[in-house]
mmCIF file of all heavy atoms in Angstrom:
data_model
loop_
_atom_site.group_PDB
_atom_site.id
_atom_site.type_symbol
_atom_site.label_atom_id
_atom_site.label_comp_id
_atom_site.label_asym_id
_atom_site.label_seq_id
_atom_site.Cartn_x
_atom_site.Cartn_y
_atom_site.Cartn_z
ATOM 1 N N ILE A 150 0.868 -1.174 0.000
ATOM 2 C CA ILE A 150 0.000 0.000 0.000
ATOM 3 C C ILE A 150 0.907 1.226 0.000
ATOM 4 O O ILE A 150 1.678 1.433 0.949
ATOM 5 C CB ILE A 150 -0.915 0.031 1.238
ATOM 6 C CG1 ILE A 150 -1.822 -1.203 1.283
ATOM 7 C CG2 ILE A 150 -1.747 1.318 1.257
ATOM 8 C CD1 ILE A 150 -2.641 -1.329 2.571
ATOM 9 N N LEU A 151 0.841 2.019 -1.053
ATOM 10 C CA LEU A 151 1.632 3.247 -1.124
ATOM 11 C C LEU A 151 0.897 4.330 -0.346
ATOM 12 O O LEU A 151 -0.228 4.691 -0.678
ATOM 13 C CB LEU A 151 1.830 3.681 -2.574
ATOM 14 C CG LEU A 151 2.715 4.915 -2.798
ATOM 15 C CD1 LEU A 151 4.150 4.654 -2.342
ATOM 16 C CD2 LEU A 151 2.694 5.332 -4.267
ATOM 17 N N VAL A 152 1.542 4.822 0.713
ATOM 18 C CA VAL A 152 0.884 5.808 1.563
ATOM 19 C C VAL A 152 1.089 7.212 1.020
ATOM 20 O O VAL A 152 2.092 7.518 0.376
ATOM 21 C CB VAL A 152 1.387 5.712 3.021
ATOM 22 C CG1 VAL A 152 1.123 4.321 3.582
ATOM 23 C CG2 VAL A 152 2.857 6.067 3.150
ATOM 24 N N HIS A 153 0.110 8.042 1.268
ATOM 25 C CA HIS A 153 0.023 9.449 0.828
ATOM 26 C C HIS A 153 0.668 9.725 -0.539
ATOM 27 O O HIS A 153 1.565 10.574 -0.647
ATOM 28 C CB HIS A 153 0.550 10.413 1.892
ATOM 29 C CG HIS A 153 1.850 10.057 2.556
ATOM 30 N ND1 HIS A 153 3.052 9.976 1.887
ATOM 31 C CD2 HIS A 153 2.129 9.800 3.857
ATOM 32 C CE1 HIS A 153 4.003 9.674 2.737
ATOM 33 N NE2 HIS A 153 3.480 9.559 3.935
ATOM 34 N N PRO A 154 0.224 9.046 -1.598
ATOM 35 C CA PRO A 154 0.774 9.330 -2.931
ATOM 36 C C PRO A 154 0.521 10.772 -3.367
ATOM 37 O O PRO A 154 1.260 11.297 -4.218
ATOM 38 C CB PRO A 154 0.044 8.338 -3.846
ATOM 39 C CG PRO A 154 -1.212 7.995 -3.106
ATOM 40 C CD PRO A 154 -0.839 8.019 -1.650
ATOM 41 N N GLU A 155 -0.486 11.394 -2.789
ATOM 42 C CA GLU A 155 -0.797 12.786 -3.147
ATOM 43 C C GLU A 155 0.277 13.768 -2.700
ATOM 44 O O GLU A 155 0.266 14.938 -3.100
ATOM 45 C CB GLU A 155 -2.148 13.195 -2.538
ATOM 46 C CG GLU A 155 -2.161 13.414 -1.029
ATOM 47 C CD GLU A 155 -2.293 12.146 -0.197
ATOM 48 O OE1 GLU A 155 -2.235 11.043 -0.777
ATOM 49 O OE2 GLU A 155 -2.453 12.259 1.037
ATOM 50 N N ARG A 156 1.243 13.320 -1.914
ATOM 51 C CA ARG A 156 2.288 14.207 -1.406
ATOM 52 C C ARG A 156 3.589 14.119 -2.201
ATOM 53 O O ARG A 156 4.552 14.802 -1.883
ATOM 54 C CB ARG A 156 2.563 13.914 0.071
ATOM 55 C CG ARG A 156 1.349 14.108 0.972
ATOM 56 C CD ARG A 156 1.708 13.975 2.429
ATOM 57 N NE ARG A 156 2.594 15.060 2.843
ATOM 58 C CZ ARG A 156 3.269 15.062 3.998
ATOM 59 N NH1 ARG A 156 3.166 14.025 4.833
ATOM 60 N NH2 ARG A 156 4.049 16.070 4.311
ATOM 61 N N TYR A 157 3.620 13.303 -3.243
ATOM 62 C CA TYR A 157 4.833 13.147 -4.045
ATOM 63 C C TYR A 157 4.739 14.073 -5.257
ATOM 64 O O TYR A 157 4.158 13.720 -6.287
ATOM 65 C CB TYR A 157 5.022 11.691 -4.460
ATOM 66 C CG TYR A 157 5.011 10.729 -3.279
ATOM 67 C CD1 TYR A 157 4.248 9.574 -3.292
ATOM 68 C CD2 TYR A 157 5.767 11.003 -2.137
ATOM 69 C CE1 TYR A 157 4.236 8.700 -2.216
ATOM 70 C CE2 TYR A 157 5.757 10.138 -1.050
ATOM 71 C CZ TYR A 157 4.986 8.993 -1.093
ATOM 72 O OH TYR A 157 4.978 8.144 -0.005
ATOM 73 N N TYR A 158 5.338 15.227 -5.135
ATOM 74 C CA TYR A 158 5.203 16.275 -6.152
ATOM 75 C C TYR A 158 5.695 15.833 -7.523
ATOM 76 O O TYR A 158 5.196 16.308 -8.547
ATOM 77 C CB TYR A 158 6.006 17.515 -5.725
ATOM 78 C CG TYR A 158 5.313 18.381 -4.716
ATOM 79 C CD1 TYR A 158 5.421 18.134 -3.353
ATOM 80 C CD2 TYR A 158 4.546 19.468 -5.124
ATOM 81 C CE1 TYR A 158 4.789 18.939 -2.421
ATOM 82 C CE2 TYR A 158 3.910 20.285 -4.206
ATOM 83 C CZ TYR A 158 4.032 20.015 -2.849
ATOM 84 O OH TYR A 158 3.400 20.807 -1.928
ATOM 85 N N TYR A 159 6.667 14.923 -7.566
ATOM 86 C CA TYR A 159 7.260 14.565 -8.853
ATOM 87 C C TYR A 159 6.305 13.780 -9.741
ATOM 88 O O TYR A 159 6.612 13.539 -10.913
ATOM 89 C CB TYR A 159 8.571 13.784 -8.641
ATOM 90 C CG TYR A 159 8.535 12.748 -7.533
ATOM 91 C CD1 TYR A 159 8.066 11.462 -7.737
ATOM 92 C CD2 TYR A 159 9.006 13.074 -6.261
ATOM 93 C CE1 TYR A 159 8.039 10.525 -6.734
ATOM 94 C CE2 TYR A 159 8.997 12.144 -5.234
ATOM 95 C CZ TYR A 159 8.509 10.873 -5.470
ATOM 96 O OH TYR A 159 8.494 9.952 -4.448
ATOM 97 N N TYR A 160 5.168 13.374 -9.217
ATOM 98 C CA TYR A 160 4.161 12.714 -10.049
ATOM 99 C C TYR A 160 3.119 13.692 -10.604
ATOM 100 O O TYR A 160 2.321 13.315 -11.472
ATOM 101 C CB TYR A 160 3.415 11.644 -9.247
ATOM 102 C CG TYR A 160 4.229 10.434 -8.857
ATOM 103 C CD1 TYR A 160 4.029 9.816 -7.628
ATOM 104 C CD2 TYR A 160 5.182 9.892 -9.717
ATOM 105 C CE1 TYR A 160 4.755 8.692 -7.262
ATOM 106 C CE2 TYR A 160 5.914 8.774 -9.352
ATOM 107 C CZ TYR A 160 5.696 8.171 -8.119
ATOM 108 O OH TYR A 160 6.414 7.058 -7.759
ATOM 109 N N TYR A 161 3.099 14.908 -10.113
ATOM 110 C CA TYR A 161 2.005 15.818 -10.446
ATOM 111 C C TYR A 161 1.901 16.093 -11.948
ATOM 112 O O TYR A 161 0.793 16.206 -12.484
ATOM 113 C CB TYR A 161 2.169 17.146 -9.708
ATOM 114 C CG TYR A 161 1.822 17.110 -8.229
ATOM 115 C CD1 TYR A 161 1.663 15.909 -7.541
ATOM 116 C CD2 TYR A 161 1.664 18.286 -7.512
ATOM 117 C CE1 TYR A 161 1.350 15.885 -6.198
ATOM 118 C CE2 TYR A 161 1.346 18.273 -6.157
ATOM 119 C CZ TYR A 161 1.197 17.062 -5.505
ATOM 120 O OH TYR A 161 0.889 17.047 -4.161
ATOM 121 N N ALA A 162 3.034 16.219 -12.612
ATOM 122 C CA ALA A 162 3.017 16.555 -14.039
ATOM 123 C C ALA A 162 2.629 15.366 -14.912
ATOM 124 O O ALA A 162 2.274 15.544 -16.083
ATOM 125 C CB ALA A 162 4.378 17.099 -14.471
ATOM 126 N N THR A 163 2.699 14.163 -14.356
ATOM 127 C CA THR A 163 2.387 12.950 -15.122
ATOM 128 C C THR A 163 1.451 12.059 -14.312
ATOM 129 O O THR A 163 1.845 10.978 -13.849
ATOM 130 C CB THR A 163 3.670 12.176 -15.478
ATOM 131 O OG1 THR A 163 4.415 11.912 -14.265
ATOM 132 C CG2 THR A 163 4.538 12.976 -16.436
ATOM 133 N N PRO A 164 0.200 12.477 -14.113
ATOM 134 C CA PRO A 164 -0.719 11.693 -13.274
ATOM 135 C C PRO A 164 -0.962 10.286 -13.795
ATOM 136 O O PRO A 164 -1.384 9.415 -13.026
ATOM 137 C CB PRO A 164 -1.999 12.535 -13.275
ATOM 138 C CG PRO A 164 -1.881 13.453 -14.442
ATOM 139 C CD PRO A 164 -0.422 13.707 -14.620
ATOM 140 N N GLU A 165 -0.665 10.063 -15.068
ATOM 141 C CA GLU A 165 -0.816 8.690 -15.573
ATOM 142 C C GLU A 165 0.144 7.721 -14.889
ATOM 143 O O GLU A 165 -0.083 6.500 -14.882
ATOM 144 C CB GLU A 165 -0.611 8.654 -17.088
ATOM 145 C CG GLU A 165 0.774 9.047 -17.564
ATOM 146 C CD GLU A 165 0.944 10.527 -17.818
ATOM 147 O OE1 GLU A 165 0.094 11.322 -17.355
ATOM 148 O OE2 GLU A 165 1.926 10.878 -18.477
ATOM 149 N N ARG A 166 1.216 8.261 -14.289
ATOM 150 C CA ARG A 166 2.139 7.408 -13.533
ATOM 151 C C ARG A 166 1.433 6.794 -12.326
ATOM 152 O O ARG A 166 1.683 5.642 -11.981
ATOM 153 C CB ARG A 166 3.362 8.224 -13.091
ATOM 154 C CG ARG A 166 4.378 7.454 -12.251
ATOM 155 C CD ARG A 166 4.978 6.290 -13.003
ATOM 156 N NE ARG A 166 6.006 5.625 -12.214
ATOM 157 C CZ ARG A 166 6.235 4.318 -12.249
ATOM 158 N NH1 ARG A 166 5.530 3.532 -13.053
ATOM 159 N NH2 ARG A 166 7.187 3.786 -11.502
ATOM 160 N N TYR A 167 0.545 7.544 -11.709
ATOM 161 C CA TYR A 167 -0.240 6.991 -10.606
ATOM 162 C C TYR A 167 -1.040 5.774 -11.074
ATOM 163 O O TYR A 167 -1.060 4.736 -10.406
ATOM 164 C CB TYR A 167 -1.223 8.043 -10.085
ATOM 165 C CG TYR A 167 -0.653 9.129 -9.222
ATOM 166 C CD1 TYR A 167 -0.738 10.465 -9.610
ATOM 167 C CD2 TYR A 167 -0.065 8.842 -7.995
ATOM 168 C CE1 TYR A 167 -0.252 11.477 -8.798
ATOM 169 C CE2 TYR A 167 0.425 9.850 -7.172
ATOM 170 C CZ TYR A 167 0.335 11.164 -7.580
ATOM 171 O OH TYR A 167 0.809 12.164 -6.781
ATOM 172 N N ARG A 168 -1.689 5.927 -12.218
ATOM 173 C CA ARG A 168 -2.516 4.819 -12.700
ATOM 174 C C ARG A 168 -1.673 3.596 -13.021
ATOM 175 O O ARG A 168 -2.067 2.454 -12.739
ATOM 176 C CB ARG A 168 -3.317 5.242 -13.937
ATOM 177 C CG ARG A 168 -4.394 4.241 -14.314
ATOM 178 C CD ARG A 168 -5.263 4.721 -15.464
ATOM 179 N NE ARG A 168 -5.973 5.943 -15.174
ATOM 180 C CZ ARG A 168 -7.074 6.006 -14.442
ATOM 181 N NH1 ARG A 168 -7.578 4.900 -13.913
ATOM 182 N NH2 ARG A 168 -7.689 7.157 -14.241
ATOM 183 N N ALA A 169 -0.484 3.814 -13.583
ATOM 184 C CA ALA A 169 0.396 2.685 -13.904
ATOM 185 C C ALA A 169 0.806 1.937 -12.641
ATOM 186 O O ALA A 169 0.826 0.694 -12.616
ATOM 187 C CB ALA A 169 1.624 3.184 -14.663
ATOM 188 N N ILE A 170 1.136 2.673 -11.597
ATOM 189 C CA ILE A 170 1.523 2.040 -10.330
ATOM 190 C C ILE A 170 0.351 1.263 -9.747
ATOM 191 O O ILE A 170 0.486 0.111 -9.321
ATOM 192 C CB ILE A 170 2.025 3.104 -9.332
ATOM 193 C CG1 ILE A 170 3.305 3.758 -9.831
ATOM 194 C CG2 ILE A 170 2.265 2.479 -7.949
ATOM 195 C CD1 ILE A 170 3.721 4.999 -9.050
ATOM 196 N N HIS A 171 -0.811 1.890 -9.749
ATOM 197 C CA HIS A 171 -2.000 1.244 -9.194
ATOM 198 C C HIS A 171 -2.386 0.015 -10.007
ATOM 199 O O HIS A 171 -2.743 -1.033 -9.442
ATOM 200 C CB HIS A 171 -3.147 2.253 -9.149
ATOM 201 C CG HIS A 171 -4.280 1.864 -8.277
ATOM 202 N ND1 HIS A 171 -5.389 1.191 -8.747
ATOM 203 C CD2 HIS A 171 -4.493 2.047 -6.948
ATOM 204 C CE1 HIS A 171 -6.237 0.985 -7.758
ATOM 205 N NE2 HIS A 171 -5.725 1.493 -6.646
ATOM 206 N N ASN A 172 -2.309 0.120 -11.312
ATOM 207 C CA ASN A 172 -2.653 -1.016 -12.167
ATOM 208 C C ASN A 172 -1.699 -2.189 -11.987
ATOM 209 O O ASN A 172 -2.041 -3.332 -12.313
ATOM 210 C CB ASN A 172 -2.662 -0.593 -13.633
ATOM 211 C CG ASN A 172 -3.878 0.238 -13.995
ATOM 212 O OD1 ASN A 172 -4.838 0.336 -13.232
ATOM 213 N ND2 ASN A 172 -3.844 0.857 -15.173
ATOM 214 N N ALA A 173 -0.512 -1.904 -11.468
ATOM 215 C CA ALA A 173 0.467 -2.965 -11.222
ATOM 216 C C ALA A 173 0.204 -3.706 -9.915
ATOM 217 O O ALA A 173 0.998 -4.568 -9.525
ATOM 218 C CB ALA A 173 1.876 -2.372 -11.202
ATOM 219 N N GLY A 174 -0.901 -3.388 -9.251
ATOM 220 C CA GLY A 174 -1.283 -4.132 -8.047
ATOM 221 C C GLY A 174 -0.966 -3.440 -6.740
ATOM 222 O O GLY A 174 -1.120 -4.048 -5.681
ATOM 223 N N VAL A 175 -0.554 -2.179 -6.801
ATOM 224 C CA VAL A 175 -0.238 -1.421 -5.590
ATOM 225 C C VAL A 175 -1.453 -0.593 -5.203
ATOM 226 O O VAL A 175 -1.969 0.189 -6.012
ATOM 227 C CB VAL A 175 0.977 -0.502 -5.824
ATOM 228 C CG1 VAL A 175 1.294 0.304 -4.568
ATOM 229 C CG2 VAL A 175 2.181 -1.323 -6.255
ATOM 230 N N GLU A 176 -1.921 -0.762 -3.969
ATOM 231 C CA GLU A 176 -3.054 0.025 -3.506
ATOM 232 C C GLU A 176 -2.579 1.369 -2.964
ATOM 233 O O GLU A 176 -1.412 1.530 -2.591
ATOM 234 C CB GLU A 176 -3.827 -0.754 -2.447
ATOM 235 C CG GLU A 176 -4.481 -2.012 -3.004
ATOM 236 C CD GLU A 176 -5.337 -2.735 -2.003
ATOM 237 O OE1 GLU A 176 -4.809 -3.101 -0.932
ATOM 238 O OE2 GLU A 176 -6.533 -2.941 -2.281
ATOM 239 N N PHE A 177 -3.498 2.322 -2.908
ATOM 240 C CA PHE A 177 -3.172 3.687 -2.477
ATOM 241 C C PHE A 177 -3.942 4.043 -1.205
ATOM 242 O O PHE A 177 -5.136 3.735 -1.081
ATOM 243 C CB PHE A 177 -3.557 4.703 -3.555
ATOM 244 C CG PHE A 177 -2.635 4.749 -4.749
ATOM 245 C CD1 PHE A 177 -2.905 5.614 -5.801
ATOM 246 C CD2 PHE A 177 -1.511 3.949 -4.844
ATOM 247 C CE1 PHE A 177 -2.080 5.682 -6.908
ATOM 248 C CE2 PHE A 177 -0.670 3.995 -5.949
ATOM 249 C CZ PHE A 177 -0.962 4.866 -6.989
ATOM 250 N N GLN A 178 -3.249 4.727 -0.303
ATOM 251 C CA GLN A 178 -3.880 5.281 0.903
ATOM 252 C C GLN A 178 -3.613 6.775 0.949
ATOM 253 O O GLN A 178 -2.456 7.199 0.970
ATOM 254 C CB GLN A 178 -3.311 4.622 2.162
ATOM 255 C CG GLN A 178 -3.813 5.233 3.471
ATOM 256 C CD GLN A 178 -2.758 6.095 4.149
ATOM 257 O OE1 GLN A 178 -1.701 5.588 4.509
ATOM 258 N NE2 GLN A 178 -3.035 7.386 4.323
ATOM 259 N N ILE A 179 -4.676 7.576 0.914
ATOM 260 C CA ILE A 179 -4.496 9.020 1.022
ATOM 261 C C ILE A 179 -4.729 9.455 2.464
ATOM 262 O O ILE A 179 -5.379 8.761 3.244
ATOM 263 C CB ILE A 179 -5.416 9.806 0.063
ATOM 264 C CG1 ILE A 179 -6.895 9.547 0.372
ATOM 265 C CG2 ILE A 179 -5.094 9.458 -1.387
ATOM 266 C CD1 ILE A 179 -7.838 10.456 -0.418
#
């Protein structure tokens, strides 16, 4: 479970990176 992904600024410009990580089986906790 990747915690607070919303706090990683380096993903902001490429939000599709979030989807790729999640699609790979990693859950998200905000």
Side-chain angles (χ1 to χ4, degrees):
I150 300 173
L151 183 64
V152 301
H153 46 64
E155 73 278 8
R156 300 187 66 193
Y157 306 132
Y158 280 87
Y159 42 85
Y160 291 144
Y161 285 14
T163 54
E165 64 271 16
R166 178 62 176 146
Y167 284 119
R168 192 175 299 281
I170 295 169
H171 196 267
N172 286 348
V175 179
E176 294 185 303
F177 285 179
Q178 174 255 299
I179 61 172

